[in-house]
Amino acid sequence: MKRGFPISRHSKHERGVVAISVALMLVVLIGFTALCVDGGYLLYSQRRLQAATDAAALAGAVDLWTDPWTTARSDALAYATNSANGLPSNVTITSTSVSGLTLASGVLPYGQAASGYNGIQVDQRANVPAFFGRIFGVQTIPISATSRASAGGAGNPAQYNVVIILDATRSMSTTVDSNCNNLTRLQCAKNGALTLLTGLTNAGDNVALMAFPPQQTSSTYNFTCSGSAPQTASSYSQSSASYSYTSANTSSGSSGYLNSNGKPNSASSLVQALGGGKCGGLPAPGGLGTFYAQAIAAANNKLAQMSSTQNPPGHNVIVLLSDGIATASTSELGNTYKGLYGTECQAAINTAATAKSSGTTIYTVAYLGGEGASAPQCGDGKDSLTACNTMEAIATSASDFFSDTCKNASGGTAKLNALFAQIAYSLTKPRLIPLTAS
């Protein structure tokens, strides 16, 4: 009988080594699994915490210019709490702190801010539960996020150049706007423009006011309550006609359009022209029907002059306030423009397209309260455009078109002062800034 080979002692030993190696590899594998699962969950939670912290900083920065610090801080904390709902339910916020910043690099000066700050910082800490990490005694992993935001207007560009075009034709002063406390359209437009000024809080922002029909003068006319306005030009083709009533900026001392409290400065000719002084502001002289293509071109030329002297150039903005009804006759258009009779509205759209192609942003506000439910036609003759769709087409985008009545106003259809606050916010909304900003 043959004898089998005896089991080697070495084989038993090798099996023991393999068992130990497998056990060690399992430990390493579990460790890698823990690292991947816990690490991925940690990264996801970190991103959600950072998003919540960014949102809280922006929420507080909205209030910095116009509200006390307690309001800004309270809103930031409230938003941090709400935004934390976006975190996984088992991630626990352990602390949230909000602090004000006085940024030398901020465009809005902190000395003029109602809160005393022109920047805000939010810091948050949280604990993320470990899953496989508990095998190694790790129960939670701490994470943190910090975000800084500057009050509205920070970032690029540092300066805005704004031309407000005000329709001062007779229809603006004879028609009462039922959506603006039964004021005339002109009164409502001037009130809204004052609201816009208080929102344009960037130090150094330039604002000019142009009114049409043009004035019969060859020099820039600055409105004052004690002065008298020049007569209306004989036609839109009068070569010496002037559109510019007045201009100012926030940093020009006593002539600036805002005082140290961020309110309209009644000593400013710009504010006086809008009825913010001791008189009702510029009147609606009438004499010519509406033709706003030329006014848009003149405004864009004014903006080009402003930005050409700036380094870097500021962002150019036109705000057109009108009922959108172009009714100038051929004689009122004059020899230069009489060929556009019947297509005045399309001419305005074409002129606006040229301005927009140069980088100018155009907001339009249509005052049509009192016209009834149907949108009125824009112009005379063969022009088939309505006032509402013309004002929409002039604006840079649908969201830049506002109205008290037009249903196609994507920017908003509401009380007009509220609309101007929206326009101001779109120009001066707060922005996140690097943590190194000082």
Side-chain angles (χ1 to χ4, degrees):
M1 184 174 183
K2 293 183 179 180
R3 300 172 110 187
F5 292 103
I7 299 175
S8 171
R9 293 180 182 178
H10 293 291
S11 298
K12 293 180 179 180
H13 176 70
E14 288 174 357
R15 285 201 299 270
V17 171
V18 170
I20 295 173
S21 298
V22 169
L24 290 174
M25 289 176 65
L26 285 174
V27 171
V28 173
L29 181 61
I30 291 173
F32 275 116
T33 302
L35 180 63
C36 292
V37 173
D38 288 346
Y41 192 67
L42 184 69
L43 180 61
Y44 172 75
S45 299
Q46 173 67 48
R47 288 178 176 174
R48 299 305 305 162
L49 180 65
Q50 186 64 58
T53 306
D54 289 345
L58 287 170
V62 168
D63 304 318
L64 290 175
W65 187 259
T66 57
D67 295 299
W69 167 244
T70 52
T71 300
R73 183 177 184 277
S74 176
D75 285 349
L77 287 170
Y79 212 94
T81 300
N82 292 334
S83 298
N85 295 332
L87 287 169
S89 59
N90 56 358
V91 175
T92 305
I93 299 290
T94 57
S95 68
T96 301
S97 63
V98 180
S99 54
L101 304 173
T102 54
L103 301 169
S105 59
V107 176
L108 293 178
Y110 59 82
Q112 294 181 28
S115 66
Y117 300 103
N118 60 353
I120 191 170
Q121 179 170 313
V122 179
D123 297 277
Q124 293 202 93
R125 298 181 183 280
N127 283 333
V128 181
F131 296 102
F132 287 96
R134 296 182 181 183
I135 298 174
F136 303 99
V138 179
Q139 301 298 316
T140 60
I141 304 171
I143 60 174
S144 63
T146 298
S147 183
R148 283 187 170 191
S150 184
N156 185 39
Q159 192 172 26
Y160 282 99
N161 303 313
V162 182
V163 172
I164 301 171
I165 302 176
L166 182 59
D167 183 346
T169 54
R170 196 175 303 279
S171 62
M172 289 287 286
S173 63
T174 57
T175 306
V176 172
D177 195 329
S178 57
N179 292 314
C180 193
N181 300 321
N182 290 322
L183 298 173
T184 66
R185 295 171 179 173
L186 182 61
Q187 290 171 326
C188 191
K190 290 190 287 189
N191 288 348
L194 285 173
T195 300
L196 177 64
L197 289 185
T198 60
L200 291 173
T201 48
N202 292 1
D205 276 354
N206 296 296
V207 180
L209 175 66
M210 290 185 173
F212 64 87
Q215 305 300 301
Q216 191 171 350
T217 176
S218 58
S219 59
T220 299
Y221 169 66
N222 287 321
F223 181 91
T224 61
C225 285
S226 59
S228 58
Q231 294 182 342
T232 301
S234 59
S235 77
Y236 281 94
S237 298
Q238 185 176 329
S239 60
S240 61
S242 171
Y243 281 90
S244 181
Y245 266 91
T246 185
S247 60
N249 63 65
T250 56
S251 60
S252 59
S254 60
S255 64
Y257 56 80
L258 297 179
N259 57 29
S260 58
N261 296 320
K263 305 297 183 182
N265 176 18
S266 60
S268 164
S269 59
L270 175 61
V271 173
Q272 290 183 33
L274 295 173
K278 297 180 180 180
C279 62
L282 62 89
L288 295 177
T290 299
F291 176 64
Y292 38 62
Q294 190 186 36
I296 294 171
N300 201 51
N301 289 337
K302 176 74 173 178
L303 289 168
Q305 293 172 11
M306 289 183 189
S307 60
S308 66
T309 62
Q310 299 164 343
N311 187 20
H315 184 73
N316 294 336
V317 177
I318 290 175
V319 182
L320 172 63
L321 317 178
S322 174
D323 56 19
I325 304 172
T327 56
S329 64
T330 53
S331 61
E332 291 170 345
L333 290 171
N335 291 332
T336 305
Y337 301 106
K338 66 181 182 181
L340 296 175
Y341 178 77
T343 59
E344 303 103 307
C345 302
Q346 186 60 54
I349 293 172
N350 295 343
T351 303
T354 300
K356 289 182 285 189
S357 67
S358 70
T360 298
T361 299
I362 302 180
Y363 295 88
T364 56
V365 183
Y367 295 84
L368 292 165
E371 289 288 345
S374 61
Q377 291 301 110
C378 175
D380 298 316
K382 58 186 177 182
D383 201 330
S384 60
L385 292 167
T386 66
C388 290
N389 56 31
T390 298
M391 293 291 276
E392 178 185 27
I394 290 172
T396 299
S397 67
S399 61
D400 297 325
F401 170 42
F402 300 79
S403 175
D404 60 343
T405 302
C406 297
K407 294 181 179 179
N408 59 327
S410 299
T413 303
K415 296 298 182 182
L416 287 168
N417 275 357
L419 299 181
F420 277 94
Q422 291 180 43
I423 294 174
Y425 176 72
S426 72
L427 292 174
T428 60
K429 55 190 175 186
R431 295 169 175 83
L432 296 174
I433 58 175
L435 298 181
T436 54
S438 60

